[in-house]
Amino acid sequence: MRSVLRMQQACKRKVWTQVSIALMAALWMVNAQAELLIKVTEGRVDAVPIAVVPFDGAQNAPEDVSQIVQADLHRSGQFKPLPPEDMLSRPRNEQEMIYRDFKVLGTEYVITGSMKAQETGGYEVSYALFDVARQKKLMSETYRPPESQLRDVAHAISDRIYEQLTGIPGAFSTKILYVTHNRHDANPYQLQYADADGHRVTTILRSKEPIMSPTWSPDGRKIAYVSFEDQGRPAIYIHSLATTEREKVSSFSGINGAPDWSPDGQKLALTLSRDGNPEIYMLNLSTKALTRLTNNYGIDTEPRWLPDGEHLVFTSSRSGGPQIYKLNINDKSVRRVSFQGAYNARSDVTPDGRYLVYVHRRNGNFNVGVQDLQRGTFNIVTRTDMDESPSVAPNGSMVIYGTQHGGTGVLEAVSIDGRVKVELPSKEGEVREPAWSPFL
């Protein structure tokens, strides 16, 4: 929808959908497939030095949990892992811990652990976290997963350590939903999701026609998205990840776009042009009752629920150009909330409701901006020039978004304060429309 908003002064309502389809198709120019590659391009200068000692027994396991934990913590940008080859000792447990070996290297925390194969199958995975300055064990745990869940255990350990040291829940066990395109495939458009580190890609849907605006249900068990598979006309579907069953929930004449789940999972906010103009509606998923929430001559689109379940933010051209507005779903009152510049669109909200993240145009470039709704401040947190579709991590620490590298669509992530930047290019081709899952 963002491409349409750029042209909204020139476009008539009747050609909105045609322009959207044409611009969407023009964006998909190269192949796309499979796993994302994770590269930390910019971390905090004050990143915490930490050592993840290679786990005892990891060399004989199909997944090295210690390597995954180290990569997770490094990818957060909050920690600076010590390379194993620089370690003066490699303790396997508390009894072997020599604090001075890490203190002289400036390391503040040390993680040790072990992996043991079980006779009944699976593994016993244990770890411990140590504070070097206080020479104290902070925490330790043991897991007994089947072999297939070793990566899950590694991410869970990362989450626990991240929360212990930062006070913020870790999001390493979450998933990322996105759309790829392979023009040589019979069904070139693919809706996929992967672990937050880009591994274990699962394809949800393959289609001959574009797929747009994927979004997670609050419990992470379902997704909603827009598909043009019905003779090129947009419709909104709900897809169960466990059963692969799906349901078409909106296929009105004209636009069916930008679905977003309410915090209780009972409703969808969406954009429809069934009455002529693009407006915001609310669909009750149990009763199928449809409620119109906006009524304006401008283009209203891209609704996003606030955590309280009683308000939405959305993009509207009612002031002449795209800006972000806040809507009370009970009395339908609307007020503008973005004022920096002439173009602000495609918003998302942090889980605590404090920060509004959206695409902002500055000097002809489209960047991700973060607005503090309490203090009223606004900061540009990216330096690329064609950013789109920002999606906030469930712990509110990072934002994933689509951008362009050399004319190819890729994903990147940035911390909410702009101090940490991560690239997530695919191994080959184009990736767009990211959506970060809730906690699973």
Side-chain angles (χ1 to χ4, degrees):
M1 292 297 177
R2 196 187 87 182
S3 299
V4 177
L5 286 171
R6 295 184 201 169
M7 305 175 65
Q8 58 192 341
Q9 296 299 315
C11 293
K12 300 297 183 181
R13 291 195 299 264
K14 65 186 296 183
V15 299
W16 172 286
T17 301
Q18 295 173 338
V19 173
S20 294
I21 296 172
L23 291 177
M24 181 68 183
L27 289 171
W28 303 97
M29 299 300 295
V30 296
N31 301 342
Q33 181 63 32
E35 291 186 351
L36 304 175
L37 307 175
I38 310 296
K39 294 191 297 180
V40 179
T41 59
E42 188 173 331
R44 295 173 61 108
V45 295
D46 58 348
V48 176
I50 193 168
V52 183
V53 180
F55 284 11
D56 184 40
Q59 65 274 15
N60 300 317
E63 297 278 6
D64 187 334
V65 169
S66 53
Q67 284 188 359
I68 297 170
V69 171
Q70 177 174 301
D72 282 346
L73 297 177
H74 176 57
R75 193 175 72 255
S76 75
Q78 304 286 337
F79 297 93
K80 183 181 180 181
L82 178 68
E85 59 268 23
D86 293 344
M87 297 177 186
L88 301 180
S89 60
R90 296 189 179 186
R92 294 173 296 180
N93 49 49
E94 187 172 11
Q95 289 70 38
E96 297 182 3
M97 185 71 186
I98 304 174
Y99 288 100
R100 67 174 180 272
D101 286 353
F102 295 95
K103 186 174 183 179
V104 298
L105 297 174
T107 304
E108 296 184 20
Y109 300 98
V110 177
I111 300 165
T112 66
S114 64
M115 301 180 63
K116 298 177 182 178
Q118 303 294 290
E119 293 183 1
T120 56
Y123 280 80
E124 179 180 273
V125 180
S126 299
Y127 79 95
L129 172 67
F130 300 91
D131 185 318
V132 174
R134 292 191 289 167
Q135 299 189 20
K136 177 182 179 181
K137 183 170 72 174
L138 300 180
M139 63 186 301
S140 62
E141 291 180 310
T142 297
Y143 298 81
R144 294 179 178 84
E147 181 179 306
S148 61
Q149 294 179 9
L150 283 173
R151 294 197 71 88
D152 298 298
V153 163
H155 293 319
I157 292 172
S158 301
D159 288 337
R160 294 279 289 143
I161 292 170
Y162 186 87
E163 184 170 11
Q164 174 72 28
L165 299 181
T166 69
I168 301 171
F172 305 109
S173 297
T174 57
K175 306 286 185 180
I176 296 172
L177 183 65
Y178 52 90
V179 178
T180 65
H181 180 258
N182 183 346
R183 62 184 177 183
H184 299 297
D185 197 301
N187 294 297
Y189 297 93
Q190 301 176 15
L191 181 59
Q192 300 178 323
Y193 71 90
D195 289 359
D197 64 356
H199 288 266
R200 297 192 296 189
V201 174
T202 299
T203 299
I204 303 167
L205 177 69
R206 298 176 185 269
S207 176
K208 294 181 180 179
E209 301 295 336
I211 303 167
M212 299 174 64
S213 305
T215 180
W216 295 86
S217 65
D219 61 7
R221 296 179 179 178
K222 297 179 179 180
I223 58 172
Y225 54 86
V226 178
S227 174
F228 288 77
E229 65 196 71
D230 185 9
Q231 299 181 343
R233 295 191 295 265
I236 296 174
Y237 294 81
I238 288 179
H239 194 121
S240 170
L241 296 180
T243 66
T244 71
E245 293 179 354
R246 64 183 191 140
E247 176 187 7
K248 185 189 294 186
V249 296
S250 179
S251 56
F252 296 100
S253 176
I255 298 168
N256 297 266
D260 193 55
W261 298 81
S262 62
D264 63 5
Q266 301 301 308
K267 299 175 286 293
L268 279 183
L270 59 160
T271 301
L272 302 176
S273 61
R274 54 173 293 183
D275 297 323
N277 203 50
E279 303 284 357
I280 307 300
Y281 289 76
M282 180 172 63
L283 175 66
N284 186 306
L285 296 175
S286 298
T287 66
K288 307 304 180 185
L290 192 65
T291 304
R292 181 169 172 171
L293 298 178
T294 63
N295 188 0
N296 191 272
Y297 62 87
I299 297 170
D300 295 338
T301 186
E302 300 170 349
R304 289 294 179 268
W305 290 90
L306 294 182
D308 63 9
E310 296 184 353
H311 295 85
L312 294 166
V313 288
F314 66 98
T315 306
S316 178
S317 67
R318 61 184 63 196
S319 61
Q323 296 292 341
I324 309 299
Y325 291 79
K326 183 177 180 180
L327 166 72
N328 184 313
I329 67 169
N330 297 313
D331 62 16
K332 299 183 177 58
S333 60
V334 174
R335 67 178 180 88
R336 181 172 166 178
V337 294
S338 67
F339 295 93
Q340 297 282 338
Y343 184 105
N344 296 291
R346 198 62 184 264
S347 59
D348 198 11
V349 186
T350 55
D352 60 4
R354 175 171 178 174
Y355 295 99
L356 189 62
V357 179
Y358 50 83
V359 176
H360 170 80
R361 187 176 64 197
R362 179 180 62 174
N363 299 326
N365 295 328
F366 294 87
N367 299 120
V368 175
V370 177
Q371 180 174 334
D372 187 328
L373 296 177
Q374 291 183 9
R375 297 182 178 179
T377 58
F378 176 77
N379 296 305
I380 301 295
V381 295
T382 64
R383 292 193 293 269
T384 38
D385 57 7
M386 284 295 290
D387 303 337
E388 62 179 24
S389 309
S391 177
V392 181
N395 64 0
S397 66
M398 300 286 289
V399 180
I400 192 170
Y401 60 97
T403 190
Q404 292 276 320
H405 280 183
T408 297
V410 299
L411 303 185
E412 294 195 354
V414 62
S415 60
I416 204 74
D417 60 7
R419 299 169 69 183
V420 178
K421 294 180 173 63
V422 180
E423 291 183 3
L424 299 91
S426 69
K427 289 183 176 177
E428 42 179 296
E430 188 118 0
V431 189
R432 289 187 174 273
E433 302 275 334
W436 214 312
S437 80
F439 288 117
L440 303 173

